[in-house]
Amino acid sequence: MNTKKISLLLTSIVMATAALAQGDPKLTELYTPVPKVVTAGKVTSDAPSDAIILFDGKNLDEWVSTEDTSKAAAWTVGKNILTVKKGTGNIQTKKLFTNYQLHLEWRIPSNITGEGQARGNSGVFLASTGKGDAGYEMQILDCYNNKTYTNGQTASIYKQSVPLANACKKPGEWQTYDVIWTAPTFNEDGTVKSTAKVTALHNGVLVQNNFELKGETAYIGAPQYKKIGPSAVKLQAHGDKSEPISFRNIWIREL
Ligand code: MG
């Protein structure tokens, strides 16, 4: 190996070490295998009689601001839909839940721009564990002809579980998530007694099949658990510059 090659090798090692030290988010991204694309059929979703209606198009009475839960949720309600208001932060349910079945519908705007993670990024935190993005996120993103790391694409459990299929509909079309969530349980000393588990359908297609979570979803580094009790369901106002996405028809059944 000549001096130039050794120098290049050393530079690479120094850069990799620096990335590790700073906590490089790329270290937890996966790119293969890529889930197969499945064209979903029509999906319907009227709330069953015992559901708690979280959003029916009229108001955000069931929601608060994540950053200050004494404050009303500041996203936009109009024309029977809820639209993310960027810059106002995440919103979460007033009620707290443990195990449940959740239905929600979301729509990427037809004029969406951006690429990768910056194209209609939002998310549903199946249990919020604090401010910001603390908790367990199932990703919402436009992955209709948009490539990103597979464990961060639509219907992934963010950076933990690649979805079993890519069932994304075109921007402008309404899409559904149906999620069965089993909350983690903890021993007195805070250690995990049983992991969180998630089964989910995206537009009626199975995308998560009783996946056992490794902890809270993390942008950087390994997932970890922290002891929680009943928790809010949270929706993400992601900081990317793309056009804000909308929601409608959100309901939940406690199990
Ligand atoms: Mg997200």
Side-chain angles (χ1 to χ4, degrees), residues 117 121-123 125 137-140 158 236 238:
Q117 291 286 307
N121 197 330
S122 180
F125 290 85
E137 182 186 8
M138 181 163 160
Q139 177 70 297
I140 295 176
Y158 187 70
Q236 186 185 46
H238 191 268

Side-chain angles (χ1 to χ4, degrees), residues 30 33-38 138-139 143 148-168 177 200-202 205-209 211:
L30 298 177
V34 177
K36 66 177 174 181
V37 172
V38 174
M138 181 163 160
Q139 177 70 297
C143 285
T148 186
Y149 42 95
T150 57
N151 58 350
Q153 73 177 62
T154 316
S156 63
I157 301 304
Y158 187 70
K159 288 193 166 178
Q160 288 192 40
S161 181
V162 178
L164 298 170
N166 178 346
C168 282
Y177 273 173
L201 292 92
H202 176 201
V205 176
L206 185 70
V207 283
Q208 299 292 342
N209 188 7
F211 174 70

Side-chain angles (χ1 to χ4, degrees), residues 84-148:
V84 178
K85 195 168 181 183
K86 300 230 177 190
T88 64
N90 298 344
I91 67 170
Q92 65 186 50
T93 55
K94 283 181 186 169
K95 289 194 178 78
L96 306 180
F97 304 97
T98 304
N99 304 324
Y100 61 76
Q101 170 189 353
L102 171 72
H103 174 89
L104 62 86
E105 300 182 19
W106 51 273
R107 185 181 67 185
I108 302 288
S110 53
N111 63 340
I112 192 73
T113 58
E115 57 184 40
Q117 291 286 307
R119 187 176 171 89
N121 197 330
S122 180
V124 52
F125 290 85
L126 303 170
S128 174
T129 62
K131 293 186 179 184
D133 291 344
Y136 303 87
E137 182 186 8
M138 181 163 160
Q139 177 70 297
I140 295 176
L141 188 71
D142 176 29
C143 285
Y144 188 87
N145 294 330
N146 174 40
K147 283 201 177 116
T148 186

Side-chain angles (χ1 to χ4, degrees), residues 10 12 55 57 106 135 163 180 211 220 234 241:
L10 285 173
S12 309
F55 179 70
W106 51 273
I180 295 120
F211 174 70
I220 294 170
K234 179 165 72 181
K241 299 279 189 288

